[in-house]
Amino acid sequence: MDAETVGGKASEIPFSQESRSAVSKSAAEVVHRTLFDGLKEPQTICSQALTSQLATLAYQLSDQTFQDSRLTAVSIKTSRHRIGVDSATETITSELSRSKYEAVQHSPAELLDNLNDHLVYVALGSNVGDRIAMIELACRELDRYGICVVRTSALYETEPMYLQEQRPFINGVCEVRTTLNPLVLLDTLKEIETALGRQKTVENGPRTIDLDILLYDDEHVVHERLIIPHKRILEREFVLRPLCDLIPEATLPPPFKSATFSAQLLELPKPESPLSPLTPLSLKTPPISSLSPTRTTHIMAVLNLTPDSFSDGNLHPTDPTALLPTLKEFLAAGVSILDIGGQSTRPDAPQITAEAEIARVLPTIKYIRSHPEFDKMAISIDTYRASVAHAAISAGADIVNDVSAGLLDENMFREVARLGCTVFLMHMRGTPENMATLTDYPSGVVDGVGSELFKRVAKAQDAGIRRWRIVLDPGIGFAKNTAQNLELLRRFGTLRQYQGLQGLPWTVGSSRKRFIGKITGVQTPRERVWGTAATVTAAVQGGADIVRVHDVAQMTQVSKMADAIWRV
């Protein structure tokens, strides 16, 4: 059975000799469909991840094929050309015998546990060039070398230690799985550092990239070239804090005796300025520093290119050249992000095709990016469709703003991971058509929103989206009634501290929403300026990093005043 996949070729899907003649056509069709629909761009995922996918597919196929008593084994093999390696072909095989299948029936996770891989935590650091871009490139190289990046911490900007006369560092930690032993892993990390331009000139000096092994399973390694756990793991906040993003309740392995990493972090001397995660928006837009007490609230201006949005449908011309005065007003007001949408998400809004949505937004994105004067404004594409996100980012947008947090298009998270851009994950239930009926939160709206967003963040990270590329949104007005919208604004600070979401930046989009009209009696959305101003003030007081607004000039003034009161 031969078939082409995206970026690679599955050369054959052989069965054992006895099985080859017995397999049914339906079973063959299942594995063909599952394998070639499921393996997205097999060139770009690490060998470990591809092996895991093949093992799972072998198990799924076995559910059908082992119903025939004559079948003895299922074997799946795929070959692919390695990116960046001339004429290099890699073959990956997964085989499942009948006895193994029967031993772990209905538990494919046990199959993956037998891949003989190791759980490792690697520190990431850079203070030369585009520091965040260099760390992201290092993560891609880890994957390419077969060291599978599972999760990442946030990124933190830290002052240099030991040698002070150098630029601040960006630091983080990634959780990886690898089949390499500690010394081979060390050599591989050094090879990646060299490939990315690291040249060691002075001890603790500037470096394009720094990759250090912190933990390797529960092993204690003492070698002339390598000590694990890293001997300074408990004394460096720039290591311990990102490690706590991933495994806060873990401890050092035996024979060491230590408190949990989160407890150890509390014992470190308090710095003059607290470490804050950084979230990049675009190359020329300052990043979000979500825990800085003096940070400025970013203004996200709404630019709906739709005829049927709830408050500004048909307001903005679809001819991009006619938008120039509006764009200049946004720029003068200090807008950081321009949120462009081509599909209304108001209740009962008709759903257009992805092609129609792309046709609405792409000319404007291209027009804005053709004018360098607007480069300091990041562009976000307001869409829940992966294909629209791909087209928009390819045309010059910087951010994907998904009102469904990946729920309405199962391909969205994989696409964002491939694009490598920042994504806004908004809390919503159901669809725009039925969300108003889904407002039951048994444990309260704050806990409900927090727990559901926590699950979406986990899904995003599982798909390969880096934690430092995630921004959250409580979804004011989406699957919430008036009382719940008010409670979210009132207790927004509590939501920001939800377990597992601490440090992630937040945006709040309450502008002109229906609950404001219900409370103030203002029926026309465009006239809900004063009510919107009160919600923006509440959002800033609660810790919002971004406010998404229609009335840009007025809400910029409101946020500046709120910043002056609370961001000190």
Side-chain angles (χ1 to χ4, degrees):
M1 183 184 303
D2 295 332
E4 295 290 330
T5 62
V6 179
K9 181 178 181 180
S11 56
E12 60 177 332
I13 304 178
F15 297 90
S16 63
Q17 194 63 39
E18 179 182 351
S19 305
R20 196 183 293 262
S21 61
V23 65
S24 68
K25 179 181 179 182
S26 62
E29 289 174 348
V30 167
V31 72
H32 183 278
R33 183 178 64 254
T34 306
L35 179 59
F36 300 120
D37 287 350
L39 295 183
K40 303 298 182 181
E41 298 195 26
Q43 284 179 305
T44 66
I45 63 175
C46 67
S47 302
Q48 190 71 33
L50 187 53
T51 303
S52 298
Q53 289 193 43
L54 293 182
T56 301
L57 290 169
Y59 186 92
Q60 292 170 342
L61 179 62
S62 300
D63 278 337
Q64 298 187 40
T65 57
F66 285 148
Q67 294 177 18
D68 188 325
S69 60
R70 295 171 294 174
L71 303 182
T72 61
V74 171
S75 178
I76 301 177
K77 181 171 70 173
T78 184
S79 60
R80 62 178 181 174
H81 294 291
R82 295 299 301 273
I83 290 178
V85 182
D86 292 339
S87 303
T89 301
E90 177 183 36
T91 299
I92 297 175
T93 303
S94 179
E95 182 167 305
L96 177 62
S97 67
R98 175 181 288 277
S99 60
K100 181 61 180 175
Y101 169 77
E102 292 173 347
V104 295
Q105 194 168 9
H106 304 308
S107 184
E110 293 185 37
L111 293 173
L112 306 186
D113 288 340
N114 292 321
L115 294 174
N116 196 31
D117 62 340
H118 303 278
L119 185 63
V120 184
Y121 292 88
V122 177
L124 310 162
S126 175
N127 76 333
V128 175
D130 188 334
R131 299 165 296 171
I132 294 177
M134 185 56 65
I135 286 175
E136 292 183 322
L137 180 56
C139 288
R140 291 196 294 272
E141 285 296 290
L142 288 170
D143 276 338
R144 193 172 71 83
Y145 274 74
I147 304 165
C148 191
V149 177
V150 180
R151 295 188 298 159
T152 59
S153 71
L155 292 180
Y156 298 84
E157 185 173 51
T158 61
E159 293 300 320
M161 295 182 70
Y162 314 116
L163 184 62
Q164 302 296 317
E165 298 300 320
Q166 57 180 318
R167 189 182 180 196
F169 279 83
I170 299 291
N171 293 104
V173 171
C174 62
E175 178 184 284
V176 306
R177 286 195 174 273
T178 179
T179 58
L180 304 179
N181 69 47
L183 288 178
V184 175
L185 176 60
L186 174 66
D187 289 337
T188 304
L189 296 184
K190 296 304 178 187
E191 183 178 336
I192 292 172
E193 288 179 343
T194 301
L196 296 184
R198 178 173 179 180
Q199 296 178 340
K200 189 170 183 179
T201 53
V202 295
E203 189 70 21
N204 300 312
R207 62 211 78 170
T208 54
I209 191 66
D210 193 14
L211 303 172
D212 288 324
I213 302 172
L214 301 176
L215 300 167
Y216 186 101
D217 290 336
D218 287 328
E219 292 192 21
H220 179 208
V221 177
V222 179
H223 187 275
E224 61 181 4
R225 297 178 55 220
L226 180 64
I227 296 177
I228 302 174
H230 194 287
K231 60 185 178 181
R232 291 174 174 169
I233 195 172
L234 298 182
E235 71 180 54
R236 296 174 167 179
E237 185 182 6
F238 64 81
V239 173
L240 203 50
R241 188 169 291 279
L243 198 57
C244 285
D245 288 342
L246 299 172
I247 46 173
E249 301 309 308
T251 61
L252 291 180
F256 301 98
K257 295 181 179 180
S258 71
T260 64
F261 291 143
S262 58
Q264 292 282 126
L265 183 60
L266 294 175
E267 295 299 318
L268 291 179
K270 297 296 185 291
E272 293 183 7
S273 300
L275 291 189
S276 176
L278 292 182
T279 302
L281 296 173
S282 74
L283 287 176
K284 296 187 178 181
T285 307
I288 300 170
S289 184
S290 60
L291 295 183
S292 170
T294 59
R295 68 192 184 280
T296 299
T297 304
H298 289 269
I299 300 296
M300 184 179 195
V302 178
L303 188 66
N304 284 326
L305 304 177
T306 55
D308 54 353
S309 288
F310 81 98
S311 76
D312 57 353
N314 272 330
L315 179 63
H316 300 299
T318 55
D319 177 9
T321 60
L323 288 170
L324 192 58
T326 300
L327 295 171
K328 289 185 174 181
E329 289 176 9
F330 289 170
L331 186 65
V335 166
S336 299
I337 308 167
L338 189 60
D339 193 38
I340 298 176
Q343 166 66 64
S344 175
T345 53
R346 66 170 176 80
D348 302 321
Q351 301 300 297
I352 62 174
T353 65
E355 292 74 19
E357 187 179 354
I358 290 170
R360 283 181 179 177
V361 300
L362 243 59
T364 295
I365 294 172
K366 292 178 178 179
Y367 177 77
I368 295 171
R369 282 294 169 249
S370 70
H371 287 68
E373 64 185 296
F374 302 125
D375 282 353
K376 290 185 178 180
M377 287 195 297
I379 295 177
S380 68
I381 176 64
D382 183 358
T383 186
Y384 56 80
R385 292 183 170 116
S387 60
V388 178
H390 176 88
I393 298 297
S394 300
D398 308 286
I399 299 163
V400 174
N401 180 18
D402 183 357
V403 297
S404 78
L407 287 171
L408 294 181
D409 187 339
E410 63 180 9
N411 295 316
M412 179 61 91
F413 283 169
R414 287 195 296 269
E415 184 61 45
V416 170
R418 280 194 289 266
L419 294 169
C421 62
T422 294
V423 62
F424 288 23
L425 306 181
M426 195 192 81
H427 177 269
M428 185 179 76
R429 289 173 167 180
T431 67
E433 289 80 12
N434 66 6
M435 63 184 179
T437 66
L438 304 175
T439 59
D440 182 25
Y441 296 86
S443 59
V445 68
V446 172
D447 184 73
V449 170
S451 64
E452 290 172 28
L453 278 178
F454 176 81
K455 293 175 183 176
R456 300 314 298 162
V457 169
K459 287 287 187 182
Q461 291 185 286
D462 287 346
I465 298 174
R466 311 306 183 200
R467 187 177 180 87
W468 59 76
R469 285 288 183 178
I470 296 174
V471 179
L472 302 180
D473 184 331
I476 300 292
F478 287 76
K480 288 97 180 170
N481 58 34
T482 296
Q484 291 163 344
N485 290 324
L486 295 174
E487 184 174 356
L488 284 172
L489 289 170
R490 188 183 304 118
R491 300 182 58 205
F492 187 53
T494 301
L495 179 59
R496 289 181 72 242
Q497 295 303 316
Y498 191 87
Q499 186 64 37
L501 303 181
Q502 301 99 321
L504 287 171
W506 290 79
T507 185
V508 172
S510 54
S511 180
R512 299 181 179 179
K513 292 288 175 69
R514 181 178 300 175
F515 79 102
I516 296 175
K518 184 175 181 179
I519 293 170
T520 62
V522 178
Q523 298 304 310
T524 303
R526 295 180 192 176
E527 296 176 3
R528 296 170 184 164
V529 179
W530 294 110
T532 295
T535 65
V536 167
T537 302
V540 173
Q541 190 269 341
D545 302 280
I546 305 166
V547 288
R548 182 179 183 272
V549 299
H550 299 83
D551 304 292
V552 170
Q554 297 93 324
M555 295 311 126
T556 298
Q557 293 182 38
V558 170
S559 68
K560 284 182 177 179
M561 197 66 216
D563 283 347
I565 296 170
W566 283 294
R567 303 282 167 88
V568 293

